[in-house]
Amino acid sequence: MNAIEVENLYHRFADGTVGIDGITLMIRKGDLVVLAGPNGSGKTTLLRHLNGLLLPDRGRVVVAGIPVSNNVAMARQKVGMVFQDADSQIVGETVHDDAAFGPENLCLGKVEINQRVQSALKKVGLLGLSNQRPHLLSGGEKRRLAIAGILTMEPEIVVFDEPFSSLDYPGVRQVLGEILALHHSGRTIILATHDLEKVIAHADRLIIMNRGKVVRDGLPADIVKDVEQFGVRAPCAIRTGGEFQSWMS
Amino acid sequence: MDELTAFGFYPAGSLLHRLDARFKLVFLVSISIAGLRAEWLALVTLTVFAGIVLLVSRRSLFSILIEIRYFIVFLLLICFVRSISTQGTCLIKTMFFSITQEGIRDGILISWRLLLVVLFGMAFIATTRPSDIRAGVAWFLKPLPFIPHKKVATMIGLVVRFVPVIFNQARETANAQKARGIENRKNPVYRLVRLGLPLVRRTFENADKLALAMEARCYSENRSDPDLSSGVHDWFAAVVVFFLCVFTIVL
Ligand SMILES: Nc1ncnc2c1ncn2[C@@H]1O[C@H](COP(=O)(O)OP(=O)(O)O)[C@@H](O)[C@H]1O
Ligand SMILES: [Mg+2]
């Protein structure tokens, strides 16, 4: 069963830049897929097609059997997105309000919203900070709040765009912990990064992008040796010849 | 970086936070209107009241004054312009202008009234969730025909959401420029342009990111709004504000 099907996708921006240059991909339900590639390779552009923030010029994207272009609202509910810049993702004036933003947009009832917010904040360990102003949170806490904000919408697929950028070591471990917990609860995870070290040990599949194309796609152990020729730093384990080390242990 | 934003919601459990947003809107509008023509005694009364309100809203008066220092400079400018542009008994005469007693009096009255409106406005925004302000405005607009009340309310909600974003951006840009010695340039026009252009550009970029994030979470005009509910304390506050306004107008 495929969670996401991308067929023959092309996207060209208004200024003529080609963002996506013909991508076909099937992503299986429940996988943790790592999307790697240098800056400007089109990772963000591809991810934004998955929930209809961008629409294809050619080709199509199908989420849970329904083309995104036909039902953007459904795609946005099914595909939760954690953006690269945690600050600009905050829309609420308190931690609680921010987490409630999504379910309010789904027009849910008050009781249901509160229930979902409480359980999502509890999951990411922010329940005690419900009334805090989000801008005062640490980097790791902000990312966890962003995760809580999409958990309240109960997505089946969660997409992370550079989730570790500008995080300190404890921040990386906190966020990685949440990502793995989501994966273990059965959700499909797609994670874009140019920094393989932190997640490669947990990936089911590695996709390497370059200039808007998929250039490698397969098991991490098989293709990780090729990443450096596409401008991505290979994990240490490749150089030392050891096993991938998890950042969680 | 955000601790010092003047125009933002400050979560707390004070009495003012618990008042119904609709009541607070009416209070703000009626006090502002009543204060339009207020003279000395009424202004003193309103100022004392504003002080109490800000204290109750748990914001420190000192930090508020620091935050609105540019606004105060603006008010001083109004005072000055008034004092040289009003006819009357001359106090100081120079080659170019003469300062009159009536002018100073007018200037102080006008700036004081403006300052009060801003202080009350800040107390309102600090104690009312943006979503409640939105819902309150929508509630008042609903009975009016030909006004798309949900659209207007959404726009107001977005403005309230955006003002702190712009302020933060301004401060960050200003700090970054200070770090590179912009203070050595004495020409204020140069400094304004150098601050203004990047500020506008970065504000638009941030607005774009925020809009995307909101869209990704299914934002639309139709959403479950907070339930507004009023109680005894709202009506009690209404009586207090009513007498304050009558008092202000009569004095
Ligand atoms: N809004 C836009 N307008 C024009 N070009 C863009 C826009 N967004 C991204 N691009 C270009 O598309 C390419 C892919 O960008 P992006 O998907 O952000 O890459 P990545 O996320 O892998 O760093 C880049 O060359 C970038 O300059
Ligand atoms: Mg990117």
Side-chain angles (χ1 to χ4, degrees):
Chain A
M1 172 76 184
N2 289 325
I4 293 180
E5 299 175 3
V6 178
E7 291 164 17
N8 216 5
L9 182 68
Y10 281 86
H11 188 93
R12 177 204 279 268
F13 289 103
D15 65 355
T17 318
V18 176
I20 300 287
D21 190 10
I23 287 184
T24 299
L25 268 182
M26 306 292 148
I27 290 177
R28 267 190 319 166
K29 217 173 158 155
D31 270 3
L32 194 163
V33 180
V34 171
L35 196 59
N39 284 336
S41 55
K43 305 182 293 292
T44 302
T45 310
L46 176 60
L47 294 185
R48 288 192 176 164
H49 280 88
L50 304 184
N51 65 352
L53 289 178
L54 292 175
L55 293 174
D57 288 333
R58 256 188 287 156
R60 63 175 198 161
V61 179
V62 179
V63 171
I66 300 171
V68 172
S69 329
N70 294 3
N71 193 344
V72 172
M74 192 216 67
R76 287 184 189 160
Q77 192 264 311
K78 289 231 190 288
V79 184
M81 180 173 278
V82 177
F83 288 76
Q84 175 165 10
D85 180 358
D87 274 296
S88 63
Q89 182 163 193
I90 294 169
V91 299
E93 297 295 315
T94 65
V95 167
H96 180 283
D97 287 4
D98 189 74
F101 182 79
E104 278 171 5
N105 290 333
L106 299 180
C107 295
L108 302 176
K110 194 117 207 147
V111 181
E112 169 82 13
I113 292 177
N114 270 332
Q115 219 171 337
R116 287 192 184 194
V117 169
Q118 299 279 322
S119 97
L121 288 180
K122 195 165 164 203
K123 247 178 223 155
V124 301
L126 290 177
L127 200 50
L129 296 173
S130 283
N131 283 320
Q132 178 75 267
R133 279 156 66 86
H135 294 279
L136 303 181
L137 299 178
S138 74
E141 286 167 342
K142 279 181 190 162
R143 285 267 155 71
R144 275 148 60 204
L145 174 59
I147 295 174
I150 55 169
L151 283 186
T152 51
M153 302 179 72
E154 305 191 337
E156 290 165 19
I157 301 154
V158 186
V159 168
F160 293 87
D161 196 354
E162 308 276 2
F164 307 116
S165 65
S166 66
L167 286 186
D168 56 10
Y169 181 55
V172 170
R173 285 175 49 107
Q174 288 167 10
V175 171
L176 184 57
E178 298 307 331
I179 294 173
L180 296 180
L182 287 178
H183 183 218
H184 289 145
S185 69
R187 292 187 177 83
T188 312
I189 309 282
I190 303 171
L191 190 157
T193 184
H194 58 260
D195 180 8
L196 284 175
E197 195 73 56
K198 289 160 188 157
V199 285
I200 194 69
H202 305 281
D204 297 314
R205 176 174 170 192
L206 177 63
I207 296 172
I208 304 174
M209 284 184 69
N210 196 22
R211 296 171 190 229
K213 288 190 165 77
V214 169
V215 288
R216 292 285 186 283
D217 182 355
L219 292 175
D222 295 342
I223 58 173
V224 77
K225 59 183 188 309
D226 295 341
V227 293
E228 293 213 334
Q229 76 194 72
F230 301 108
V232 177
R233 185 181 156 86
C236 283
I238 292 301
R239 252 159 286 185
T240 56
E243 291 258 301
F244 294 136
Q245 294 287 317
S246 169
W247 272 48
M248 294 310 290
S249 51
Chain B
M1 283 309 292
D2 206 51
E3 301 99 298
L4 282 177
T5 314
F7 299 92
F9 173 63
Y10 281 75
S14 78
L15 173 67
L16 263 115
H17 285 84
R18 277 178 281 128
L19 288 180
D20 185 339
R22 292 167 297 183
F23 278 80
K24 283 189 271 188
L25 268 171
V26 174
F27 296 166
L28 182 64
V29 170
S30 35
I31 290 179
S32 303
I33 292 175
L36 275 184
R37 307 225 131 269
E39 298 273 325
W40 304 106
L41 194 53
L43 283 177
V44 171
T45 318
L46 280 179
T47 309
V48 171
F49 189 71
I52 297 172
V53 162
L54 286 170
L55 277 182
V56 171
S57 73
R58 309 261 166 90
R59 304 261 349 251
S60 102
L61 290 178
F62 179 68
S63 69
I64 288 173
L65 286 181
I66 290 195
E67 285 161 32
I68 59 172
R69 59 190 182 277
Y70 295 116
F71 182 67
I72 291 174
V73 172
F74 173 69
L75 292 181
L76 290 178
L77 203 69
I78 291 185
C79 273
F80 178 70
V81 171
R82 268 273 154 177
S83 64
I84 61 170
S85 63
T86 312
Q87 305 285 329
T89 342
C90 187
L91 285 183
I92 303 165
K93 199 169 166 63
T94 70
M95 241 159 63
F96 308 104
F97 54 82
S98 53
I99 294 176
T100 64
Q101 203 179 344
E102 284 80 1
I104 294 182
R105 188 182 158 278
D106 276 9
I108 293 178
L109 277 180
I110 292 175
S111 330
W112 197 344
R113 289 173 194 149
L114 282 177
L115 181 65
L116 281 173
V117 171
V118 167
L119 288 181
F120 281 113
M122 279 174 69
F124 173 66
I125 290 184
T127 59
T128 318
R129 289 195 146 82
S131 51
D132 287 352
I133 297 180
R134 223 175 68 98
V137 170
W139 188 88
F140 280 113
L141 292 179
K142 209 167 178 176
L144 302 180
F146 309 121
I147 292 187
H149 69 275
K150 285 211 154 153
K151 264 210 178 75
V152 175
T154 303
M155 270 152 62
I156 291 175
L158 286 177
V159 169
V160 176
R161 172 69 189 79
F162 256 94
V163 171
V165 174
I166 296 171
F167 271 72
N168 271 339
Q169 197 59 66
R171 198 176 34 238
E172 252 171 63
T173 310
N175 281 342
Q177 296 189 347
K178 272 184 205 156
R180 286 159 64 188
I182 188 132
E183 279 162 330
N184 297 337
R185 307 289 294 241
K186 294 298 174 219
N187 181 351
V189 175
Y190 174 85
R191 285 171 62 168
L192 203 64
V193 170
R194 294 301 291 235
L195 178 67
L197 291 182
L199 178 62
V200 169
R201 188 174 48 77
R202 296 206 46 196
T203 303
F204 274 106
E205 279 170 15
N206 278 346
D208 223 29
K209 283 188 203 160
L210 186 64
L212 270 182
M214 291 170 75
E215 239 185 290
R217 283 158 80 184
C218 299
Y219 189 73
S220 74
E221 281 167 23
N222 288 314
R223 54 201 306 270
S224 26
D225 276 319
D227 309 327
L228 298 169
S229 62
S230 54
V232 182
H233 54 291
D234 292 305
W235 291 103
F236 180 74
V239 172
V240 173
V241 172
F242 175 75
F243 279 111
L244 182 77
C245 290
V246 170
F247 192 66
T248 313
I249 293 169
V250 171
L251 275 179

